[in-house]
Amino acid sequence: MKKIVFNNLDEYVYEEKLSNGVRVYLYPTDKTKNFYMTVSVKYGGKIKEYSVNGKKSHKIIPGTAHFLEHKVMNFTSRKTASNKINELGLYANAYTSFDITNYNMYGSKDPIASLKLLLDLFYNINITEENVKSEKGIISEEFKMYNDNPNFRINKQIVNNVFKNSYLKDILVGDLTQINKINVKELIKVYNDFYTTNNTFIIITGNFNLEETIKFLKDYMKDIKSSKKDIKIIKQRESKEIVNKYMEIEESISIPRVIYSLKIKKNDIKISNKILKRFYLNFIFSSLFSNTSDIYENYKNKSLMYSMSYDITDAGSYYLMNLKMITDRPDELIKNIKKDLNKPFINKATFLRKKKMFLNNLILNFENIEDVEDMISNHIIRVNHIINNLYDLLKEMNYVDMKKVVNSINFDNYSILKVNVKK
């Protein structure tokens, strides 16, 4: 078992590669009485086409990853598992992102029994014509619920305005036509191809016994043989150009909105470290748009908007930055945004303040076992290993490099969506 020490943070994680190839990451701590355990597969909604062992490529119906999540974490036909969850006082959940499918349990008693239950669900999937048909109805209702939400429709329009081919254009749950096309054969194929030992990792954080947990995992995995496959993901190419520079739509909202979206090509940012590249972007947009920024204060003082928030989404070879504002003066706000983001400036004092805040947040991450799990998971997804020198990397970030990153961003590569109140 390998002990990975986080430099300057007095924290550590244990890593173990089991005999069948499954990787395990363990963060035992007495800061809490609870534990959080996850089993994750590096397979999510962004994979649309792939080949196995050099054979002919196979196209995946959008929504398949999410559908498969439902079949693994299916309690309707697993009454014993459902009763056991209640008995152990567990909170059991799962989610599908574009990058992974994650199955998790959160509890405070008997972590070994909880872990066995989670693994039993993961490795003993039951897919039949009957339960796939019934699940289609459930997931179709889920899609309808999302599609009835104005925020969902607005976000979908944003992506369609910015991208031509990106996987972000797909709906994670699939649309009604796609959901209806998913079948038993497709689900079993994807499960066998991606839910393999070399594509699966386990993370356990919180209050549990390290030695007992490792011993249990080694014993359990003796019956789970290595299922390693050589998967090649077929990626779709995306051009730099924005699809729609400006669009107006009407939605069922009470106050108009303006969304300014930036399409940023990753290779334009000359920072080799993937994690640092994302950190610099967070520094920049937090400095520009947080509620302590000059732009925010200026717009508030001028009564140009009621609220402002931003998010950064990984889109393969691009980043998508969305600045979302609620306003009753949208046209005037758009003029100001175009002017202020023509050549944005961030002073050194702001950069240093943000840097200090990020360093403090990194330390605070270890106070929450779910945050620790999320950090480890993101490292595995992005770079396939734990980055234990995060503190050092953040410390080394400097104002000169930050300005270079700002200058590398094409702020003219934007799309603006004006959302009016539906009459």
Side-chain angles (χ1 to χ4, degrees):
M1 187 160 50
K2 181 181 177 183
K3 185 177 181 179
I4 302 171
V5 179
F6 285 84
N7 298 352
N8 298 304
L9 294 174
D10 195 29
E11 299 284 358
Y12 47 85
V13 169
Y14 293 95
E15 179 182 6
E16 179 78 13
K17 188 173 183 179
L18 301 174
S19 58
N20 60 7
V22 173
R23 286 185 291 170
V24 182
Y25 301 90
L26 304 139
Y27 175 70
T29 178
D30 56 6
K31 295 175 186 175
T32 177
K33 293 181 180 180
N34 302 317
F35 56 80
Y36 184 54
M37 48 186 61
T38 66
V39 181
S40 296
V41 181
K42 289 194 281 185
Y43 164 64
K46 74 179 182 183
I47 299 177
K48 302 175 72 171
E49 186 177 358
Y50 71 100
S51 63
V52 182
N53 300 328
K55 295 180 181 178
K56 184 181 177 182
S57 66
H58 176 77
K59 290 186 177 180
I60 299 178
I61 302 166
T64 299
H66 173 261
F67 203 118
L68 194 52
E69 172 215 311
H70 273 239
K71 297 319 302 166
V72 173
M73 215 67 161
N74 179 14
F75 298 120
T76 305
S77 59
R78 292 176 167 184
K79 298 298 182 185
T80 303
S82 184
N83 292 337
K84 191 70 175 176
I85 284 170
N86 293 330
E87 177 189 322
L88 292 168
L90 290 166
Y91 175 73
N93 201 6
Y95 69 83
T96 303
S97 72
F98 283 108
D99 294 301
I100 66 168
T101 309
N102 174 292
Y103 303 91
N104 55 78
M105 287 187 178
Y106 187 96
S108 59
K109 62 180 181 180
D110 207 340
I112 296 298
S114 302
L115 181 57
K116 182 180 185 305
L117 179 58
L118 180 60
L119 292 172
D120 285 348
L121 286 167
F122 183 83
Y123 284 113
N124 295 289
I125 188 169
N126 179 35
I127 302 176
T128 66
E129 293 285 354
E130 185 180 353
N131 63 36
V132 166
K133 183 179 179 180
S134 64
E135 204 68 42
K136 285 183 180 182
I138 295 169
I139 297 175
S140 294
E141 288 304 313
E142 189 175 348
F143 165 78
K144 290 173 186 176
M145 180 187 71
Y146 284 128
N147 204 44
D148 285 341
N149 187 322
N151 291 324
F152 176 85
R153 295 193 297 266
I154 290 169
N155 288 331
K156 193 171 187 306
Q157 189 61 63
I158 290 167
V159 172
N160 288 337
N161 285 350
V162 174
F163 294 101
K164 184 177 181 180
N165 296 314
S166 174
Y167 55 78
L168 292 184
K169 290 168 67 72
D170 290 321
I171 304 166
L172 278 170
V173 302
D175 61 28
L176 294 178
T177 301
Q178 292 160 346
I179 294 166
N180 192 52
K181 285 181 180 178
I182 295 170
N183 55 63
V184 172
K185 184 179 178 181
E186 176 77 3
L187 291 169
I188 292 174
K189 175 174 174 53
V190 170
Y191 180 82
N192 289 335
D193 287 344
F194 287 99
Y195 281 57
T196 54
T197 51
N198 65 310
N199 206 39
T200 300
F201 61 93
I202 298 169
I203 302 174
I204 306 173
T205 60
N207 199 320
F208 62 93
N209 184 284
L210 180 67
E211 287 73 23
E212 285 182 7
T213 303
I214 281 294
K215 182 180 183 305
F216 167 78
L217 282 167
K218 286 181 176 179
D219 289 342
Y220 188 98
M221 290 297 176
K222 285 178 182 176
D223 296 325
I224 309 296
K225 295 180 181 179
S226 174
S227 52
K228 183 177 180 179
K229 290 188 178 182
D230 181 20
I231 300 286
K232 181 183 178 183
I233 308 302
I234 314 298
K235 298 179 180 179
Q236 290 183 301
R237 292 189 176 183
E238 176 67 37
S239 61
K240 270 191 176 185
E241 289 73 26
I242 293 286
V243 175
N244 287 311
K245 196 81 172 176
Y246 179 82
M247 179 180 282
E248 290 189 30
I249 61 172
E250 288 188 351
E251 264 298 347
S252 302
I253 53 176
S254 56
I255 306 173
R257 300 181 192 180
V258 169
I259 299 95
Y260 170 93
S261 302
L262 266 181
K263 187 177 185 179
I264 305 166
K265 189 170 178 61
K266 288 182 180 178
N267 287 343
D268 288 346
I269 304 171
K270 305 306 178 186
I271 302 290
S272 58
N273 187 293
K274 293 179 182 179
I275 302 296
L276 269 187
K277 192 175 287 194
R278 183 63 179 260
F279 270 138
Y280 271 114
L281 286 181
N282 276 314
F283 270 39
I284 290 163
F285 294 117
S286 177
S287 299
L288 289 172
F289 305 133
S290 71
N291 57 14
T292 59
S293 69
D294 291 340
I295 288 176
Y296 183 95
E297 290 295 328
N298 183 30
Y299 292 180
K300 267 291 185 183
N301 291 336
K302 290 181 178 179
S303 299
L304 283 176
M305 55 85 182
Y306 297 107
S307 71
M308 172 187 286
S309 64
Y310 80 93
D311 57 70
I312 303 172
T313 302
D314 194 308
S317 54
Y318 290 86
Y319 289 114
L320 170 64
M321 192 290 298
N322 290 316
L323 175 62
K324 300 176 180 179
M325 295 157 286
I326 297 176
T327 175
D328 55 11
R329 298 163 65 185
D331 294 327
E332 192 174 347
L333 181 60
I334 289 170
K335 288 179 183 177
N336 278 265
I337 282 290
K338 285 181 177 180
K339 175 174 66 70
D340 291 334
L341 292 185
N342 182 30
K343 290 182 179 180
F345 172 77
I346 301 167
N347 62 49
K348 191 172 184 178
T350 299
F351 170 78
L352 293 174
R353 187 175 71 250
K354 292 294 177 183
K355 181 175 175 178
K356 184 177 180 180
M357 182 188 77
F358 274 62
L359 285 166
N360 288 337
N361 287 342
L362 180 59
I363 296 168
L364 290 173
N365 265 354
F366 286 92
E367 297 299 314
N368 186 313
I369 57 175
E370 292 174 84
D371 287 343
V372 176
E373 189 279 339
D374 186 63
M375 177 188 68
I376 295 170
S377 181
N378 271 294
H379 289 185
I380 304 308
I381 293 165
R382 305 300 172 206
V383 295
N384 207 32
H385 64 85
I386 290 179
I387 304 169
N388 65 325
N389 63 337
L390 271 179
Y391 192 91
D392 301 328
L393 288 171
L394 274 170
K395 268 284 203 182
E396 291 169 9
M397 294 177 73
N398 60 81
Y399 184 62
V400 173
D401 283 344
M402 189 276 295
K403 287 201 297 183
K404 289 179 181 177
V405 174
V406 172
N407 292 333
S408 71
I409 297 171
N410 180 7
F411 283 90
D412 191 49
N413 203 33
Y414 66 82
S415 173
I416 292 177
L417 179 65
K418 179 184 172 186
V419 188
N420 298 314
V421 179
K422 184 177 282 187
K423 297 175 182 178

